Amino acid sequence: MGEAETPSFEMTWSSTTSSGYCSQEDSDSELEQYFTARTSLVRRPRRDQDEPVQRETPDLSQAETEQKIKDYNGQINSNLFMSLNKDGSYTGFIKVQLKLVRPVSVPSSKKPPSLQDARRGPGRSTAVRRRTSFYLPKDAIKHLHVLSRTRAREVIEALLRKFMVVDDPRKFALFERTERHGQVYFRKLSDDEQPLKLRLLAGPSEKALSFVLKENDSGEVNWDAFSMPELHNFLRILQREEEEHLRQILQKYSRCRQKIQEALHACPLG
């Protein structure tokens, strides 16, 4: 990997579920199957528990880091070792499970991103005119070779580049998954947290720690993270919902007015 901080990749798939393609130029009804206000904006009830966003991690000395790496490498049954560098940093592998509910967008030409595109970062998605949306294979797994100082946001961006996904990286979040006493807990990593450091501190056990890429469903909607077609589609959906609510309200008061008038006609005069 050299001195660059961009993660390199070795990929394994845990499943080969077929993907469902849909062009951005399809009809509104098809668009709404995967870009709807309810799907994108409403928070779903969680069966797992969420933990606080930030976690305190100890700063290890050079000797402690070296010992931790020796202990870690002694516990794994694969060749995915960690290696200590002369500058005190270290490299190793993290495994990320993809659990995405909604489809992602890729260039319809499926042209791999160039080195210049990769350096330009997530802003390159604005140059894409035609896009194709599809579902990534469910529960796909990737092993990423990263530096100890590689941040969570960089891991997300690198994953999206690998799949040629042009959606804004802010739509996604990297989560830490832990199991304790039969209960599963998820914690969203902040942008600056270092996944490999968390991996080293937790050890190789996946029950103690694993990483999951999911949609970034927070309480606040980040409208800047949506493309122009998505925003226009939301406006159409909201307009139809508003018209439907108005129709129901008018119908309700019309029925009420009718019943009052019927009661007035039935009342005897005087």
Side-chain angles (χ1 to χ4, degrees):
M1 191 161 89
E3 297 180 356
E5 291 200 23
T6 301
S8 59
F9 294 87
E10 292 187 10
M11 177 178 68
T12 58
W13 295 101
S14 64
S15 64
T16 55
T17 307
S18 60
S19 301
Y21 287 84
C22 187
S23 170
Q24 283 282 33
E25 296 183 351
D26 290 339
S27 65
D28 290 347
S29 61
E30 289 173 323
L31 275 172
E32 290 167 14
Q33 291 177 7
Y34 57 88
F35 288 135
T36 67
R38 296 187 185 279
T39 300
S40 299
L41 309 182
V42 178
R43 301 186 67 184
R44 294 180 178 84
R46 298 182 183 271
R47 287 177 294 178
D48 301 318
Q49 299 295 319
D50 286 337
E51 292 193 325
V53 173
Q54 195 65 40
R55 166 183 289 188
E56 295 293 333
T57 55
D59 291 326
L60 302 178
S61 66
Q62 180 82 0
E64 290 172 329
T65 300
E66 186 174 359
Q67 186 60 48
K68 280 277 189 184
I69 291 175
K70 287 181 179 179
D71 294 342
Y72 182 93
N73 291 341
Q75 297 177 55
I76 61 176
N77 298 318
S78 64
N79 60 348
L80 304 180
F81 299 108
M82 290 194 188
S83 301
L84 185 64
N85 301 322
K86 292 181 180 180
D87 62 357
S89 65
Y90 50 95
T91 59
F93 293 85
I94 60 171
K95 184 170 76 170
V96 181
Q97 182 183 19
L98 278 65
K99 294 185 73 70
L100 301 177
V101 177
R102 297 188 285 274
V104 296
S105 300
V106 299
S108 58
S109 62
K110 301 183 178 62
K111 180 181 177 181
S114 65
L115 180 60
Q116 186 177 4
D117 290 333
R119 287 173 178 170
R120 191 178 301 130
R124 72 189 186 281
S125 62
T126 57
V128 177
R129 294 182 181 277
R130 292 192 60 202
R131 301 188 301 172
T132 301
S133 295
F134 72 101
Y135 290 90
L136 289 175
K138 186 179 180 182
D139 294 332
I141 291 176
K142 276 186 172 293
H143 287 91
L144 313 181
H145 191 245
V146 298
L147 281 168
S148 55
R149 56 179 175 266
T150 301
R151 299 175 302 152
R153 178 53 51 187
E154 294 173 302
V155 170
I156 295 172
E157 292 172 354
L159 279 169
L160 299 183
R161 283 198 300 270
K162 186 64 177 179
F163 282 108
M164 294 183 290
V165 174
V166 297
D167 292 315
D168 194 302
R170 291 174 294 179
K171 289 185 180 181
F172 306 91
L174 192 64
F175 285 80
E176 169 191 280
R177 181 186 184 276
T178 58
E179 294 183 32
R180 296 194 301 270
H181 309 296
Q183 179 67 53
V184 175
Y185 296 87
F186 282 95
R187 183 181 71 88
K188 185 169 74 172
L189 271 62
S190 64
D191 288 350
D192 294 328
E193 288 192 77
Q194 301 162 332
L196 190 62
K197 183 178 182 180
L198 296 174
R199 177 80 281 166
L200 178 63
L201 292 173
S205 170
E206 291 193 10
K207 287 190 175 182
L209 174 71
S210 61
F211 296 108
V212 180
L213 182 71
K214 300 197 294 182
E215 282 87 1
N216 190 14
D217 289 329
S218 61
E220 296 295 327
V221 178
N222 183 10
W223 295 110
D224 292 334
F226 291 94
S227 66
M228 290 295 290
E230 292 172 313
L231 292 172
H232 283 301
N233 195 49
F234 286 144
L235 288 176
R236 289 196 300 269
I237 293 167
L238 291 174
Q239 182 179 356
R240 285 203 290 268
E241 289 185 352
E242 180 183 6
E243 291 171 353
E244 176 61 21
H245 281 303
L246 287 173
R247 187 191 65 80
Q248 292 177 2
I249 292 172
L250 291 173
Q251 188 178 51
K252 173 184 175 182
Y253 281 95
S254 177
R255 288 197 302 265
C256 184
R257 186 180 298 107
Q258 182 180 357
K259 290 185 179 295
I260 292 174
Q261 290 175 346
E262 291 175 353
L264 285 173
H265 289 309
C267 289
L269 295 176

